[in-house]
């Protein structure tokens, strides 16, 4: 077969199938789809030199399938059976149902985002979350920006531009996705002043480099690693005392920042913004979509005068949160103030609070459903598993969990993984010791693990 035996775009557009499609899509979209399908056939002919030329009607049918999968699809939904509760590549925290309601309402209807309804004058966007943030952390003031990286950028740009920021060598973190603390400081126009060593830094190391050029002392939470063994780090109280003696701010990038003591729910403890504020930190930054369990945001709490300075920085306008985030964030923070049963209302906390027994029950149920749904070559059982919080909380701690192990006669584990990934929604597990595992920790319902297919493009 040669390239000339392929039907022309016009020939495909003239088919009955194309006429039906044109009732629901524009001619431009259909033409694009036909070109894509024809390109695929052309490449196939060029690479293999063989194959049967498709009829114009076949190309039209394939174009319909392409439109269905490529153009009418949402952001691809996935089931998170990786065992990592807050997975950055999967969008981190699921949002609480009440927060989703608020978000949807804000999307549908106008809201007083920047209008003071008492006076009728212009209001402050952050006022909708400032009080809640302050109350929940014991700080004087609070505000929100796009994410924690933006929060840090804003703090350094506002308080230490063209001045030195003192950071311990044990805390020069890279979070991933090109977030490296030294680079962020440089972009914010500050000069990094490293002190101490990777494993030991003392308060004297900080005081030795303090000068008129110092803009602030920064402490960063080592989110994704742990320095263990022969280590030393000054306490927050010591650093706060040193900073205040010299009249400079002490800032902490807390990373995840849980608003509640996670040990209450059986999970490993994470430092809270409240304890940082109590120890004398002037500004604490943390993420909205990590342990807090809300939408993506960077939260800042601390001294009223410093937060006011940040609000006045023109960068704030570029980093501000939109109304949907604001609505979801406010609703999530409100849950922390009012809910009598947080793990039921906040999915992230609910996942962390799951007991081994409830995970075992879910795993048994899921294994049963998978045995029914999959052909006999699949071998399915349940095993103990280790899940993690993810997104930089407790990098070395694991939570005991349960997983369904799926093996297939004649397949490697990565083939089983791609079989589950091809489902819609994609079911994502992890490979451990040569086996494909589906961890139940962050899976809402057992039935979610059963892979469903949608029609894919016939090639
Ligand atoms: C996750 C993290 C960040 C980045 O936060 P984003 O909200 O993803 O921008 C910064 N610092 C620390 C310590 C973190 O753990």
């Amino acid at each position: 077969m040669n390239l000339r035996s392929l039907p022309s775009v016009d020939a495909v557009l003239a088919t009955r199938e194309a006429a039906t499609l044109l009732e629901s899509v524009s001619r431009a979209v259909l033409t694009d789809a036909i070109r894509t399908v024809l390109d695929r056939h052309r490449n196939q002919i060029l690479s293999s030199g063989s194959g049967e030329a498709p009829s114009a009607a076949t190309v039209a049918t394939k174009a319909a399938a392409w439109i269905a999968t490529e153009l009418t699809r949402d952001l691809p939904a996935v089931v998170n059976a990786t065992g990592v509760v807050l997975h950055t590549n999967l969008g981190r925290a699921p949002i609480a149902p009440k927060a989703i309601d608020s978000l949807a309402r804000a999307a549908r209807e106008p809201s007083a985002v920047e209008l003071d309804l008492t006076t009728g004058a212009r209001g402050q966007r952050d006022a909708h979350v400032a009080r809640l943030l302050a109350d929940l952390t014991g700080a004087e003031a609070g505000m929100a920006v796009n994410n924690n990286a933006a929060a840090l950028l804003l703090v350094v740009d506002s308080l230490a531009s063209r001045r030195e920021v003192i950071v311990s060598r044990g805390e020069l973190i890279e979070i991933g996705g090109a977030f490296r603390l030294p680079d962020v400081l440089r972009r914010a126009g500050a000069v990094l002043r490293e002190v101490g060593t990777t494993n030991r830094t003392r308060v004297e190391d900080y005081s030795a480099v303090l000068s008129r050029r110092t803009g602030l002392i920064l402490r960063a939470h080592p989110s994704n690693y742990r320095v263990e063994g022969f280590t030393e780090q000054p306490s927050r109280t010591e650093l706060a005392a040193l900073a205040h003696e010299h009249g400079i701010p002490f800032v902490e990038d807390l990373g995840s920042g849980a608003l509640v003591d996670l040990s209450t729910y059986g999970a490993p403890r994470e430092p809270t913004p409240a304890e940082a504020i109590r120890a004398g930190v002037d500004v604490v930054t943390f993420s909205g979509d990590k342990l807090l369990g809300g939408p993506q945001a960077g939260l800042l709490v601390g001294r009223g005068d410093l937060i006011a300075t940040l609000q006045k920085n023109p960068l704030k306008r570029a980093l501000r949160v939109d109304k949907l985030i604001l609505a979801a964030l406010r609703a999530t923070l409100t849950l922390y103030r009012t809910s009598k049963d947080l793990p039921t209302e906040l999915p992230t906390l609910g996942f962390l609070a799951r007991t081994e027994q409830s995970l075992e029950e879910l795993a048994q149920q899921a294994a049963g459903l998978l045995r029914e749904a999959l052909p006999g070559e699949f071998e399915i059982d349940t095993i103990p598993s280790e899940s993690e919080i993810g997104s930089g909380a407790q990098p070395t701690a694991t939570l005991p969990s349960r997983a369904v192990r799926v093996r297939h006669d004649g397949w490697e584990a990565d083939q089983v993984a791609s079989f589950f990934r091809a489902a819609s929604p994609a079911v994502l597990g992890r490979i451990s010791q040569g086996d494909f595992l589906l961890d139940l920790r962050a899976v809402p319902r057992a039935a979610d693990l059963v892979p469903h297919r949608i029609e894919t493009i016939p090639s």
Side-chain angles (χ1 to χ4, degrees):
M1 156 176 150
N2 61 40
L3 291 178
R4 256 182 285 155
S5 55
L6 282 176
S8 68
V9 174
D10 283 339
V12 180
L13 281 170
T15 58
R16 199 150 30 88
E17 288 79 0
T20 314
L21 274 171
L22 282 172
E23 286 167 17
S24 54
V25 304
S26 74
R27 198 176 179 83
V29 165
L30 181 56
T31 307
D32 254 3
I34 294 170
R35 290 218 170 94
T36 306
V37 174
L38 288 174
D39 276 348
R40 268 184 213 170
H41 280 285
R42 199 168 292 121
N43 291 336
Q44 215 175 322
I45 294 168
L46 290 175
S47 63
S48 68
S50 63
E52 205 158 302
S55 68
T58 306
V59 173
T61 310
K62 290 186 180 185
W66 184 83
I67 291 168
T69 53
E70 294 295 317
L71 294 186
T72 54
R73 202 162 56 177
D74 285 338
L75 210 52
V78 303
V79 176
N80 177 10
T82 60
V84 180
V85 178
L86 296 167
H87 202 303
T88 297
N89 301 357
L90 306 182
R92 293 189 185 157
I95 294 177
K98 280 193 178 154
I100 295 171
D101 290 346
S102 297
L103 184 152
R105 183 159 353 97
R108 251 189 332 259
E109 295 156 19
S111 40
V113 177
E114 289 189 14
L115 184 76
D116 184 332
L117 290 174
T118 326
T119 62
R122 179 165 185 171
Q124 251 217 3
R125 180 173 292 251
D126 290 44
H128 301 285
V129 290
R131 184 80 260 140
L132 281 162
L133 282 170
D135 289 347
L136 288 165
T137 60
E140 287 171 15
M143 65 187 281
V145 289
N146 179 55
N147 59 14
N148 189 23
L152 204 54
L153 186 69
L154 184 65
V155 169
V156 176
D157 185 85
S158 308
L159 307 179
S161 181
R162 286 193 291 278
R163 306 176 73 185
E164 289 180 355
V165 173
I166 309 177
V167 188
S168 159
R169 288 196 172 87
E171 299 171 2
L172 290 171
I173 52 176
E174 170 174 325
I175 302 295
F179 179 94
R180 286 182 154 186
L181 194 57
D183 298 338
V184 174
L185 296 183
R186 198 170 316 117
R187 293 304 303 205
V191 178
L192 170 64
R193 189 70 203 239
E194 302 173 29
V195 294
T197 61
T198 308
N199 57 330
R200 290 175 78 99
T201 304
R202 301 182 189 83
V203 72
E204 296 79 47
D205 296 322
Y206 289 84
S207 54
V209 300
L210 266 171
S211 74
R212 287 203 332 276
R213 291 184 304 277
T214 308
L216 56 89
I217 292 179
L218 176 64
R219 180 155 150 150
H221 187 51
S223 294
N224 43 13
Y225 64 99
R226 188 68 79 231
V227 180
E228 274 175 5
F230 188 55
T231 63
E232 186 176 344
Q233 184 192 33
S235 71
R236 286 192 182 103
T237 323
E238 287 175 291
L239 283 181
L242 178 69
H244 298 155
E245 197 181 303
H246 291 79
I248 59 161
F250 174 32
V251 174
E252 178 161 4
D253 170 13
L254 205 52
S256 217
L259 283 182
V260 290
D261 179 354
L262 293 181
S263 61
T264 323
Y265 305 101
R269 238 189 143 279
E270 262 289 298
T272 62
E275 65 199 51
I277 293 292
R278 261 199 312 276
V281 180
D282 297 304
V283 177
V284 184
T285 77
F286 54 105
S287 296
D289 56 353
K290 291 184 176 174
L291 279 170
L292 196 146
Q296 180 187 302
L299 306 171
L300 300 114
V301 297
R303 253 168 56 193
D305 60 327
L306 296 177
I307 297 291
T309 304
L310 305 190
Q311 287 285 11
K312 287 194 206 99
N313 187 330
L315 253 188
K316 166 72 197 325
R317 178 65 166 76
L319 305 175
R320 74 181 188 189
V321 293
D322 89 313
K323 65 181 179 200
L324 307 186
I325 298 287
L326 198 62
L329 184 61
R330 183 184 161 100
T332 308
L333 295 173
T334 303
L335 281 178
Y336 278 97
R337 286 290 275 163
T338 59
S339 174
K340 294 226 163 63
D341 187 8
L342 268 179
T344 329
E345 300 212 72
L346 261 185
T348 302
L349 219 50
F351 292 150
L352 293 176
R354 278 180 166 173
T355 61
E356 283 186 73
Q357 193 199 329
S358 72
L359 289 162
E360 173 66 27
E361 282 162 19
L362 266 180
Q364 293 297 347
Q365 208 185 332
L369 293 170
L370 283 167
R371 279 189 206 106
E372 274 171 39
L374 297 175
E377 305 86 71
F378 284 94
E379 195 186 308
I380 289 141
D381 59 0
T382 67
I383 60 166
S385 165
E386 298 285 333
S387 56
E388 30 180 308
I389 300 180
S391 279
Q394 296 287 345
T396 50
T398 54
L399 305 169
S401 184
R402 291 290 184 284
V404 177
R405 176 167 59 182
V406 184
R407 291 186 280 195
H408 181 283
D409 200 10
W411 282 3
E412 298 291 339
D414 60 348
Q415 287 171 287
V416 183
S418 64
F419 171 86
F420 275 86
R421 253 198 334 272
S424 183
V427 178
L428 306 177
R430 69 165 188 278
I431 292 174
S432 170
Q433 300 182 340
D435 282 319
F436 179 68
L437 306 184
L438 296 165
D439 188 298
L440 274 302
R441 169 72 64 184
V443 177
R445 291 158 300 265
D448 296 337
L449 290 187
V450 177
H452 296 282
R453 319 250 150 228
I454 52 158
E455 212 180 314
T456 50
I457 315 168
S459 64

